[in-house]
Amino acid sequence: MTSRAMAVGAVAGAIASTAYRRARSNSGIRPSSPDSNNNDGSSNKSNSNATSTSNHSSSSSNCSPRGNGKNVGILGIEVYTPRTYISQSSLEKHSGVSPGKYTLGLGQEALAITGDAEDVNSMALTVVHSLLEKYSIDPHSVGRLEVGTETLVDKSKSTKTVLMDLFDGNSDIEGATVVNACYGGTAALLNAFTWVESDGWDGRYAIVVAVDIATYARGPARPTCGAGAVAVLIGRDAPLAFADPRERATHASNVYDFFKPDHSVEYPVVDGALSQVCYYRALEDCYGRFCDRIDRLNGVTNKNGADGKVRYFDAESADYFVFHAPYNKLVQKSYGRMFLIDARRKHLMKLNRPDSEEKKTEDEDDISSKADPQSRPTSDAIAEEHLTKPIEETYADKALEGTLKSVSKSSYAQRLTDSNAASKIVGNTYTASVFMGIASLIDRVGGRGDLTPGKSVVVFSYGSGALATMYRLHVRQPTSSGVCTIEDMAKKLSLTERLASREEVDPSELDLALETRARMHRGGAPYSPVYPTDGRMFPGTYYLNGIDSKWVRSYSRVPLDAEPAPPGKAGMLAPPIVLRLAKQDAVSTPVTGMLDVLTRTVTGNGDKLTEAKRRVACVITGTSAGLPCGDDVGEVFDPSNLQRLVEGKMQCIRHISGSLKMEMLDKNVVQLVKYPGGKSERVPVKSDKDVIKVAAQLGSLDLFGSYGVPEGLAETMDIAAQVAVAAGLEALKSAGLVPGRSNDPSEWKLLEQYRDTTGVVYASSFPAMDAAVGECMKFLQSKTVGAATAERLVFTLRNRLLRVSPDRTLADDDEAAFARLLSRVREVEGGGDTSSGDEASVSSTASTGPYEFDRKFLFRVLVLGNAQLAQLAGCRGP
């Protein structure tokens, strides 16, 4: 772009923003105009030509800002986190894990907790409203508003649009909600930086909001929950400036380390081991290219870097670092790996130097280390094998991890302790995490007066999936009047004091709050939050009023003059209804999360055993078995059934009767016979010798005689339901929940205290099939056998016997018997004497009467076995 084009752009930008500058008369900080403050060509030129020649002892070497002189960056910052929190040490005791598992193993001290009265919209409203108030910002002076979050409450409507309620009368605000795991806030920030730096900027502020509620299902990740929101005010002439947009490097890849494909729950699907590796990969990719880029911008080459005239950028070049912090231990390990990357870069550069320069450098390093052992490069402590082996092979190397922790320990304490302080006691805040680190650094270091102009801050942001960026911010003194300094921002934040004023709650509150949020998430609309707002939230906090039947959410704000309840005197955070539901869940469903307890505990067999004892997934307290009855047993639920079966003393099959064989012949069964060679043949069953001879048969079962089930109710059940009901009652007796000593119905009723937590699970392969077939046969018989004359039935019987006779003839005695029977039938049907019992019998056989539908058939085919058992035993549970 020519200088003339740049001038035209600047004039156009100034004209476009004139109306806004004239309209603003507030007493707060003022937006910088596009054509003011270090925006001239000479300033840009002098900055761009500046290079550092500081020696290795200066931590701020190679950090002089260049850029275009616009000094786009952070003008203000505000933080919100819920007022209630849980300490990690108390959570360790509550969870039954070894001391230090969370405090040392994760490096965390506490985590923020919130119930169902807050969501990302309410938290974003809280933090943005507070930013506007603390910095006296006129809503009309904001031209861009962008939100980063992954805790979506709507798959279409963005949180940014909800925030527009805070900008009454100003609908001309660009931006939207950005989603990509924990990286969304950083994407929004870079968008805002680009907008303010561009020629299209109209002189108004940009506000970036990063907000999330980190939740996890029961398991090893749950202690890394948290909640928080950060709002950042962006403009030019900033005290913490992204002075040179070239000072950044980005990593992007396609991995499934952490994602949320199930919209019915808040919880993510997490591969913890893969996620840590992806974090390392992204950091190393960004850091390596970031160092190369800074070196190129500073004019550092292999030659002048080797002779000591300028310093390569490394892990100790910046004054401070801010990392995305899911948990603090990951940050410590990751910073240590930057020293490994430095050593590998140095090793590679050494291989690429000419022999004379390599020898000279080795001599200089040797003389320096002899004169001062403390000056020996930390990379020398890293074994040479780690400098050449594939980087992927170093991720699981515990010996190397210990070495890196040792060589980076003092530098970590100096450069990252302050930026990690807030996240250690707030917990994981997803997109807000890296911004929480920036705020913590401003609050602690800026509050001490040590975050002074000339110092630099390197920020690393990571989001699963994966996206990551490393960029550098520079501390400077603003030249415009009314612009806050770092010290001013630290005073407005007062983050340390605000976090210290929070209320610690019992560790059991974590599961209660998350289970309540889970119910809200899957409960649908309408919904009314149950968690308290009065006295349990900071003044000025927005909360969810409810979700109406059309899924519309509404919010209210805690008055600024509200008095929070004194810590420790407000009782449980969870309301009584949540405690009642939790008690019910504890009895009826001991585990509401995943049941693979033993495989999902973090580490250590001892912890697995403790976790397994504390959370038993299922306990069998009673059993029953109804078995087919052989020749030696007549009862389906004989008390000795299982024992005899296990001992092999029970025969469950018996011979089939002649009537059953005839029924099978009537069905014209066709057997499929398979031969060893793979050939198969369909063989019809035509005679008695082809029918199976033995089979399992149910035996006798009397629901009324054994269990006192009313006969009318028993008649509504098919045989499968009758057996199921009996099995359930016998299992209750086996568990000792009912006496079951007689057929008195009260003997089979649960005590009142067990009824609400006892449910019935019913399963059947072919429910109601026997009932359906029986009713069909009854109807068919009425239309065939029942409608036929007695004479016809006699002829049909004779023909049946002829069909099964080998020579298709009957014996003389049989023929004589049929003749006498036929004569008697004709005599009866012809109006003869019917006084004898035989005649009445023949007549009743000849006609069964018309078919009549029985309404009890509906109960038999509706598969009500579970409901009928629940009715008999008094079960009212799920």
Side-chain angles (χ1 to χ4, degrees), residues 238-251:
L240 191 58
F242 185 48
D244 190 344
R246 296 172 297 178
E247 295 181 345
R248 66 178 174 187
T250 292
H251 166 91

Side-chain angles (χ1 to χ4, degrees), residues 316-335:
E316 297 180 295
S317 294
D319 296 281
Y320 302 100
F321 283 88
V322 176
F323 277 50
H324 170 61
Y327 55 94
N328 190 52
K329 196 62 174 285
L330 178 61
V331 177
Q332 295 180 34
K333 293 179 180 180
S334 300
Y335 183 65

Side-chain angles (χ1 to χ4, degrees), residues 436-738:
M436 192 73 70
I438 295 173
S440 182
L441 186 71
I442 292 173
D443 173 69
R444 293 169 64 87
V445 181
R448 295 195 301 263
D450 293 336
L451 198 57
T452 54
K455 292 190 175 182
S456 66
V457 180
V458 171
V459 181
F460 173 68
S461 175
Y462 172 81
S464 294
L467 289 172
T469 295
M470 180 173 284
Y471 59 93
R472 183 161 66 171
L473 301 174
H474 296 270
V475 183
R476 56 183 295 279
Q477 184 66 38
T479 60
S480 303
S481 61
V483 176
C484 289
T485 62
I486 293 292
E487 291 78 6
D488 295 331
M489 283 194 281
K491 291 178 182 178
K492 293 179 184 295
L493 264 177
S494 299
L495 185 57
T496 301
E497 291 79 6
R498 289 162 59 194
L499 293 177
S501 69
R502 295 180 300 165
E503 174 191 358
E504 181 178 356
V505 297
D506 190 85
S508 63
E509 297 274 15
L510 178 59
D511 288 344
L512 294 173
L514 292 182
E515 292 305 322
T516 302
R517 292 187 61 82
R519 289 190 184 95
M520 175 180 71
H521 206 76
R522 62 177 178 260
Y527 182 85
S528 296
V530 296
Y531 266 70
T533 56
D534 293 342
R536 309 310 289 266
M537 294 181 168
F538 286 119
T541 300
Y542 280 83
Y543 57 88
L544 176 66
N545 287 322
I547 307 172
D548 70 17
S549 59
K550 295 183 178 180
W551 296 87
V552 176
R553 297 180 178 233
S554 61
Y555 301 90
S556 294
R557 193 186 192 199
V558 176
L560 293 175
D561 58 356
E563 287 292 334
K569 297 183 179 181
M572 291 289 290
L573 177 64
I577 186 174
V578 172
L579 300 178
R580 288 197 300 271
L581 290 172
K583 185 177 180 180
Q584 179 176 319
D585 287 346
V587 176
S588 60
T589 52
V591 175
T592 56
M594 294 186 176
L595 297 181
D596 48 339
V597 176
L598 294 179
T599 59
R600 293 182 68 84
T601 307
V602 185
T603 54
N605 291 330
D607 290 335
K608 291 178 181 179
L609 182 59
T610 300
E611 184 75 357
K613 288 180 178 179
R614 188 178 69 83
R615 289 169 49 204
V616 179
C618 182
V619 176
I620 298 174
T621 58
T623 60
S624 66
L627 298 177
C629 302
D631 295 329
D632 57 342
V633 178
E635 294 186 17
V636 176
F637 289 95
D638 188 282
S640 63
N641 272 0
L642 281 178
Q643 185 65 30
R644 296 179 67 197
L645 187 66
V646 171
E647 294 175 354
K649 298 179 180 180
M650 186 172 185
Q651 180 60 264
C652 294
I653 59 176
R654 56 179 170 167
H655 288 88
I656 294 177
S657 66
S659 60
L660 284 177
K661 292 180 182 178
M662 291 301 295
E663 288 180 8
M664 282 188 278
L665 283 173
D666 285 343
K667 291 182 173 64
N668 294 321
V669 176
V670 178
Q671 294 179 335
L672 180 65
V673 181
K674 295 184 178 180
Y675 300 100
K679 183 180 178 181
S680 62
E681 182 182 3
R682 293 170 60 87
V683 179
V685 177
K686 296 181 178 179
S687 65
D688 179 53
K689 66 182 180 62
D690 298 324
V691 178
I692 59 174
K693 306 301 186 293
V694 293
Q697 300 169 65
L698 186 61
S700 62
L701 178 65
D702 183 359
L703 288 183
F704 173 74
S706 299
Y707 309 103
V709 177
E711 293 181 344
L713 179 60
E715 290 177 359
T716 64
M717 307 179 199
D718 72 340
I719 187 63
Q722 291 184 25
V723 175
V725 166
L729 293 173
E730 290 287 346
L732 291 174
K733 178 181 177 180
S734 173
L737 294 174
V738 297

Side-chain angles (χ1 to χ4, degrees), residues 94-108:
H94 174 74
S95 302
V97 300
S98 57
K101 188 171 186 67
Y102 304 152
T103 51
L104 299 178
L106 296 177
Q108 295 296 110

